[in-house]
Amino acid sequence: MVLRAMASRPDGRSISIHRSYTVDEASRALGVCKATIRRWMKAGLPFLNDQKPSLILGLELKEFLK
């Protein structure tokens, strides 16, 4: 019998609505891998794409996590 840990949902309490995050910063703040953040971006997480690196607004990230 194999027991698997339940995947926990990232908690947005560590995200400030008054700043923007790179993919790397968002992944560290939420404790998820960068690929997860990129998947969320493909799934509809709004981000600013007109500059490099792409930025995610804290307010938008919190809303997406709800």
Side-chain angles (χ1 to χ4, degrees):
M1 178 179 189
V2 176
L3 296 176
R4 292 186 179 182
M6 295 281 296
S8 64
R9 189 173 184 168
D11 187 358
R13 288 184 283 179
S14 60
I15 300 297
S16 170
I17 63 170
H18 300 291
R19 69 170 288 215
S20 55
Y21 295 86
T22 63
V23 170
D24 185 54
E25 291 168 338
S27 70
R28 283 194 220 159
L30 294 170
V32 299
C33 66
K34 290 187 264 186
T36 300
I37 302 295
R38 289 188 189 105
R39 262 193 312 275
W40 291 348
M41 291 164 75
K42 286 182 181 179
L45 172 62
F47 62 98
L48 304 175
N49 192 1
D50 57 345
Q51 58 191 24
K52 297 293 180 197
S54 296
L55 295 176
I56 304 162
L57 300 177
L59 180 61
E60 298 288 345
L61 183 53
K62 276 187 113 97
E63 288 296 316
F64 185 81
L65 291 173
K66 288 182 183 178

